[in-house]
Amino acid sequence: MTRAALPGSQFPSGNLWKILPLVLLICATFVLPALAQEKDKLLRTLSVSGRGVETIPTTLAQVSLGVEIQGKTVQEVQQEAARRSSAVVAFLKSKNVEKLQTTGIRLNPVYSYTNNVQQITGYGANNTVSFRIPTEQAGTLLDDAVKAGATQINGISFVANEQAIAAAQKQALKEATQDAQQQADAVFSALGFKSKEVVSIQVNNASAPPPPMFLRAEAAKSADTSTPVIGGEQQVEASVTLQISY
């Protein structure tokens, strides 16, 4: 039986079946060693994680303050809370504070219990805002905010500016990479191996953890002197994992 030649083929149909095994053998000769080398590279690797930490001074105060009002009727409480809150917001805008935003609005009934009987005795409203201000201005601004109508200082924390954080993140990444490399060099030296190349790099983290907020405190009713506000330092962390062949 004669097999027909494949269309466009330069070989007779009878020779094609003789050549095919040779072609497969040649492909296997080149592909299999390459796969073996790639497998060997993946098996002979060391993974190390390095950590970098940068400490930078804080220059901004993150403040949360609010207005809390209690009264007999909903209308009375809501109107007074709105009036005071508007005055506080207008004051803060006049001081050009950064990232001013409303963070909470609440209106709740106030209950009393007599002989295990619950009764509504009034209503309470609470409006809160948050903002950022240079740390050296925070003390005077808080005192003036109380005069403008604020009744609560809910919390204050300290952060570095965004440019300083970004620069610290880059430096922390460099430190983390160097730390990982030094760890790898120590392991290779102890085992008598030589590193070849970095086959994988993973940046696990490069961030500035959010600073803790200070405990809530009632605003002073009168302030003869400016409230002292002192900033501190902020840590920026980074972690890098290297996979190194040997």
Side-chain angles (χ1 to χ4, degrees):
M1 180 177 179
T2 303
R3 294 183 176 89
L6 296 175
S9 173
Q10 297 179 358
F11 300 101
S13 60
N15 293 334
L16 176 62
W17 302 105
K18 297 178 182 178
I19 296 172
L20 185 59
L22 179 60
V23 173
L24 293 175
L25 178 61
I26 293 173
C27 291
T29 301
F30 287 98
V31 172
L32 291 179
L35 291 175
Q37 292 175 4
E38 187 66 23
K39 182 179 179 181
D40 184 63
K41 178 188 291 186
L42 292 176
L43 289 176
R44 291 177 59 87
T45 59
L46 171 68
S47 293
V48 288
S49 294
R51 182 170 178 263
V53 179
E54 277 290 293
T55 301
I56 53 178
T58 59
T59 56
L60 297 172
Q62 178 78 38
V63 180
S64 174
L65 56 78
V67 171
E68 185 173 37
I69 300 296
Q70 290 190 357
K72 294 294 184 180
T73 67
V74 172
Q75 293 78 9
E76 172 192 351
V77 169
Q78 189 173 19
Q79 289 176 3
E80 181 63 14
R83 184 188 69 79
R84 288 204 182 194
S85 297
S86 297
V88 172
V89 169
F91 165 73
L92 294 175
K93 287 182 177 180
S94 72
K95 296 299 181 179
N96 297 317
V97 299
E98 300 177 7
K99 298 186 176 182
L100 175 63
Q101 62 179 352
T102 298
T103 55
I105 297 177
R106 296 202 314 269
L107 179 63
N108 302 314
V110 177
Y111 297 98
S112 67
Y113 295 86
T114 304
N115 297 326
N116 294 324
V117 177
Q118 176 179 287
Q119 292 183 329
I120 296 177
T121 58
Y123 295 87
N126 186 287
N127 296 352
T128 58
V129 296
S130 67
F131 58 91
R132 285 186 178 183
I133 192 75
T135 301
E136 66 272 12
Q137 301 176 21
T140 301
L141 184 138
L142 289 175
D143 295 335
D144 291 341
V146 171
K147 295 176 182 177
T151 60
Q152 293 177 334
I153 300 174
N154 298 319
I156 182 169
S157 61
F158 303 98
V159 295
N161 62 52
E162 295 177 357
Q163 293 81 1
I165 291 176
Q169 286 175 336
K170 293 179 181 178
Q171 184 59 34
L173 282 171
K174 290 181 181 179
E175 294 174 2
T177 304
Q178 292 171 355
D179 180 36
Q181 186 68 64
Q182 290 170 1
Q183 291 183 56
D185 292 342
V187 172
F188 288 139
S189 176
L191 297 175
F193 294 140
K194 289 186 178 180
S195 63
K196 292 182 180 179
E197 62 179 342
V198 176
V199 297
S200 174
I201 303 173
Q202 180 180 349
V203 177
N204 301 323
N205 187 30
S207 63
M213 296 291 285
F214 282 83
L215 296 177
R216 168 176 167 172
E218 293 293 331
K221 298 303 180 182
S222 63
D224 296 330
T225 59
S226 176
T227 301
V229 176
I230 303 172
E233 293 180 325
Q234 182 176 8
Q235 285 190 337
V236 179
E237 304 174 355
S239 176
V240 172
T241 298
L242 303 180
Q243 193 174 24
I244 305 173
S245 63
Y246 60 91

